[in-house]
Amino acid sequence: MRFSCAAIFAAHLVVATALALAPTRAAAQDVTLTSRDGGVEIAGNLLGFDGQFYRVETAYGELTVDGTGVLCEGPGCPDLEAYVAEIAISGASSVGEVLLPSLIEGFALRSGYKIARSDAGAGQVEYLLSDSGSGEAAARFLIHSTNTDEGFADLLANETDIVMSLREVRPDEASRAWEAGMGDLRGPGRARVLALDALVPIVAPGHPLTEVTLTDLAGIFSGRIVNWSDLGGPDAPISTYLRDPAAGLSQAAEDRLLGPIRATLRPDVIRHVSNRALVRAVMTDPFGIALTTAADTGNAKQLALSGECGFSIPATRRNAKTEDYPLTAPVFLYTPVRRLPRVGREFYAYLSTPAAQLVIRRAGFIDQMAEEIPVADQGDRFANAISQAGEETGLEDLQRMVATLSPLRRLTVSFRFEQGSSALDAQSRSNIRLLADALEAGEYDGRRLLFVGFSDGQGPAQSNRQIALRRAESVRRAILSAAETLDPARITLEAEAFGEAMPMACDDSAWGRQVNRRVEVWVR
């Protein structure tokens, strides 16, 4: 290999971006890239080609090279005339078996492609998109449906472009991805909330219980509660069911349910390798209970979540969108710092369109389209505010809240915070971008948006209101910062706070307090 210091410098001049390229599915092969004037020669293994940029592993590390400035020679060189974009997607089976295929088909239909589906074996399905006129292949999507752990493992092995995940990336996975040159998977733009789901407890039809408190549900799955009689049910031992340990559903259940109380899963929980098997097991066990997603409950009976103070919150679409339901579960797509092929980038942009949101809803998941909820549909919330008002929340405070909010409508876009932190949670971070995009697109031009802060009931009411107001102001500033092209004159953005005046859940648990600490968005 011929490579002088000057050549290295020149090579960096043709590096169009620091972003890596999507990996090819074939094994890396030798290539030599030569600048058109013959002054620069780069030799190494071709790791990826997206139709425009080469990614080459060399003795000096990985280089990303603009293909328009070089000639390629060697067995690894792609056929530029017959190039077909390849996008590999791997991870959670509940997403890969239903949601992603529906979205790819919707994208193909909207973009004018013909689409052909074929079984690639071992849990893999291939979708070939072809030009509707010429019939020439344009892109190949390969979906590998396994589990969340396998999705991240495929990413670290350079075998996939996108990870389907039912949980956030683990610190060790993010660390290894960083070391592999894939960027910070926890950074802005690396994680995308594709859709929403909810973790729901299910029992067999005919089970006497209709709801369960989060405290008791955690007690069941941690082994503290082992008999249904402790919950007012029959005198029978409780059998528990959950997905296999590598499944994102199982990991999310442990994170969201047991994490806040630092409990561990009971050792005798019965595991299943698919959501369908999980539901079937509960359906045939009158004394069993499982945690699954709202999209995969089959004919089992869902239990609402309640609290000691009388709240009962079912896993409805609206409650999940607003995160009023405490076990809302975002569906994530993770991408490393890689340049996807053009078709892949177009597909990724399609995912945020209203058309894609309709596909998400039809597939049984919860879309992220903002809805406006009139005050008339929120009677239960205001009734709870009155019934649960603490000693420091007087009639004057409640009247001020009602007078302020009655002329407005609540958006389903809400903002909540990590456990014990002032940092926004994953769904809320995604909501910043969603609302900013809507503002930039002019969807709320001429209207007034009010960011309203609420708190839990721990501590003095006045202090709680001040904390809630600071959070509301923080979210308002984050939206303005994200909406870079927004003309502030087109819209009014304000902040207000009512502290602990309208709880959404009981303050008797860590989950309830986390639900109550929120910033809502109201619009007029």
Side-chain angles (χ1 to χ4, degrees):
M1 180 179 75
R2 177 165 57 87
F3 221 118
S4 66
C5 291
I8 295 174
F9 177 76
H12 281 279
L13 293 180
V14 297
V15 175
T17 176
L19 302 183
L21 305 180
T24 57
R25 273 352 108 199
Q29 297 186 57
D30 290 341
V31 296
T32 299
L33 304 178
T34 307
S35 62
R36 295 189 181 275
D37 63 4
V40 178
E41 186 177 283
I42 302 172
N45 286 327
L46 181 68
L47 298 179
F49 178 68
D50 73 345
Q52 182 179 357
F53 291 89
Y54 296 95
R55 182 164 61 97
V56 183
E57 181 181 23
T58 74
Y60 303 91
E62 290 186 11
L63 292 178
T64 303
V65 182
D66 187 344
T68 60
V70 296
L71 301 174
C72 184
E73 297 179 349
C77 291
D79 185 342
L80 301 183
E81 304 224 346
Y83 170 74
V84 178
E86 293 190 359
I87 301 98
I89 306 171
S90 178
S93 59
S94 60
V95 183
E97 292 174 355
V98 178
L99 183 54
L100 257 297
S102 299
L103 287 167
I104 291 172
E105 290 171 0
F107 167 71
L109 180 65
R110 186 177 180 84
S111 303
Y113 290 113
K114 292 181 180 179
I115 187 168
R117 180 187 186 278
S118 60
D119 187 352
Q124 299 185 76
V125 176
E126 181 181 290
Y127 287 87
L128 183 64
L129 276 58
S130 303
D131 185 274
S132 57
S134 66
E136 293 183 359
R140 182 178 293 108
F141 286 81
L142 184 66
I143 301 176
H144 189 196
S145 297
T146 52
N147 55 59
T148 296
D149 277 4
E150 287 295 324
F152 282 112
D154 285 346
L155 181 68
L156 293 168
N158 214 27
E159 294 176 354
T160 194
D161 306 310
I162 302 172
V163 177
M164 305 173 289
S165 177
L166 297 181
R167 59 161 172 82
E168 292 190 68
V169 62
R170 299 292 193 222
D172 64 313
E173 293 165 336
S175 177
R176 282 183 284 154
W178 176 265
E179 292 170 358
M182 296 180 178
D184 184 4
L185 295 184
R186 294 168 295 188
R190 303 277 62 84
R192 179 191 194 125
V193 176
L194 173 65
L196 302 173
D197 210 333
L199 299 175
V200 296
I202 58 171
V203 293
H207 195 285
L209 292 187
T210 59
E211 59 185 40
V212 62
T213 70
L214 269 169
T215 302
D216 287 342
L217 186 63
I220 290 172
F221 279 90
S222 66
R224 183 176 56 82
I225 299 175
V226 296
N227 195 291
W228 284 112
S229 60
D230 295 331
L231 304 178
D235 183 12
I238 302 174
S239 49
T240 54
Y241 298 88
L242 204 57
R243 278 291 309 272
D244 51 292
L249 167 60
S250 175
Q251 295 163 0
E254 293 186 60
D255 291 348
R256 302 295 295 273
L257 182 63
L258 302 181
I261 59 172
R262 296 179 174 83
T264 57
L265 193 66
R266 58 191 288 176
D268 62 344
V269 66
I270 303 168
R271 302 284 195 166
H272 288 276
V273 296
S274 72
N275 293 357
R276 292 173 185 171
L278 190 71
V279 173
R280 285 197 299 267
V282 170
M283 290 284 291
T284 58
D285 183 351
F287 306 119
I289 185 170
L291 273 174
T292 185
T293 63
D296 283 302
T297 59
N299 293 321
K301 178 181 178 180
Q302 291 187 37
L303 300 182
L305 297 181
S306 62
E308 300 294 343
C309 60
F311 284 99
S312 181
I313 306 178
T316 64
R317 181 170 53 84
R318 276 185 178 176
N319 285 342
K321 280 189 175 185
T322 60
E323 282 193 279
D324 291 346
Y325 184 77
L327 294 182
T328 298
V331 176
F332 296 98
L333 292 184
Y334 277 92
T335 55
V337 183
R338 281 184 182 149
R339 178 187 169 92
L340 287 173
R342 180 182 56 82
V343 175
R345 299 195 298 273
E346 291 172 351
F347 172 68
Y348 222 61
Y350 160 78
L351 296 178
S352 61
T353 65
Q357 298 304 307
L358 290 175
V359 172
I360 288 169
R361 187 185 297 188
R362 289 177 186 143
F365 290 79
I366 300 166
D367 65 274
Q368 296 183 84
M369 290 179 66
E371 301 177 36
E372 297 182 14
I373 311 173
V375 169
D377 291 352
Q378 302 180 65
D380 289 345
R381 280 164 41 92
F382 283 90
N384 286 334
I386 296 171
S387 65
Q388 299 300 322
E391 295 180 359
E392 297 182 83
T393 304
L395 177 61
E396 183 179 344
D397 298 312
L398 295 175
Q399 288 176 332
R400 186 176 74 87
M401 180 181 70
V402 172
T404 301
L405 300 181
S406 290
L408 311 178
R409 289 170 169 252
R410 183 192 179 191
L411 289 185
T412 50
V413 177
S414 298
F415 302 90
R416 283 186 168 81
F417 304 87
E418 300 282 4
Q419 183 73 29
S421 170
S422 60
L424 291 173
D425 65 18
Q427 183 174 335
S428 299
R429 294 193 298 271
S430 177
N431 285 345
I432 291 285
R433 185 68 263 164
L434 289 173
L435 186 53
D437 287 345
L439 293 178
E440 289 181 317
E443 293 182 20
Y444 297 98
D445 280 3
R447 305 184 73 181
R448 175 192 177 215
L449 263 65
L450 185 64
F451 295 85
V452 184
F454 294 95
S455 70
D456 60 40
Q458 303 292 300
Q462 184 59 30
S463 296
N464 286 337
R465 183 183 176 277
Q466 292 172 354
I467 293 171
L469 182 58
R470 287 198 296 270
R471 286 175 173 164
E473 285 283 6
S474 176
V475 170
R476 187 186 71 87
R477 288 194 299 270
I479 293 292
L480 282 172
S481 177
E484 297 177 356
T485 64
L486 172 68
D487 179 0
R490 288 163 32 194
I491 191 168
T492 301
L493 300 178
E494 299 175 338
E496 179 59 279
F498 299 105
E500 57 193 62
M502 188 156 52
M504 286 304 307
C506 307
D507 270 337
D508 59 359
S509 69
W511 309 279
R513 291 189 290 273
Q514 186 172 9
V515 168
N516 288 334
R517 294 190 294 268
R518 68 196 186 277
V519 174
E520 298 180 355
V521 185
W522 290 69
V523 62
R524 183 172 186 176

